[in-house]
Amino acid sequence: MELPFEIDYVFPWVNDTDKVWRNVFIQYCKSKGALWRITQLENERFRDWGLLKFLLRSVATNMPWIRKLHLIVSNIEQVPQWVNQEGVDVVLHEQ
């Protein structure tokens, strides 16, 4: 399928077990006076259901028109070891 324009797929990702990210999230919530958001760490908002692997595989298999897949993470430790970083552009929040 040839498209007259290029399409990128951008996917934000959070590893909720990353202690660095959790601390940054908690400090941010405290600084904004949004302590109620800290409870979201214990519910399903950031829970890893193991779907990232299936998402990446599905995009590669079923969406050949996607030029590049961008995975947005807060720090490089957020990226699972099994992610092929040659096929996925890892973008840090600071970028």
Side-chain angles (χ1 to χ4, degrees):
M1 172 184 236
E2 189 67 32
L3 296 175
F5 48 85
E6 296 178 332
I7 299 175
D8 287 359
Y9 192 100
V10 180
F11 190 77
W13 174 252
V14 173
N15 174 357
D16 68 325
T17 62
D18 178 22
K19 292 183 190 317
V20 172
W21 176 83
R22 289 176 76 90
N23 288 336
V24 169
F25 182 78
I26 289 170
Q27 293 307 315
Y28 179 80
C29 291
K30 287 179 179 177
S31 73
K32 297 298 180 184
L35 298 177
W36 61 272
R37 287 195 179 266
I38 296 172
T39 61
Q40 294 176 333
L41 290 172
E42 306 309 322
N43 65 21
E44 299 174 359
R45 177 166 182 185
F46 299 111
R47 185 171 298 164
D48 179 10
W49 295 95
L51 298 178
L52 182 61
K53 189 178 292 188
F54 297 105
L55 172 90
L56 297 178
R57 187 181 305 146
S58 294
V59 168
T61 303
N62 301 309
M63 302 174 89
W65 59 87
I66 298 296
R67 179 184 70 97
K68 189 74 173 172
L69 193 139
H70 305 278
L71 184 65
I72 303 174
V73 294
S74 64
N75 58 61
I76 199 66
E77 289 79 21
Q78 289 274 310
V79 181
Q81 291 180 344
W82 50 262
V83 170
N84 176 4
Q85 292 190 30
E86 291 178 15
V88 175
D89 179 34
V90 175
V91 180
L92 303 178
H93 285 183
E94 63 192 33
Q95 294 174 307

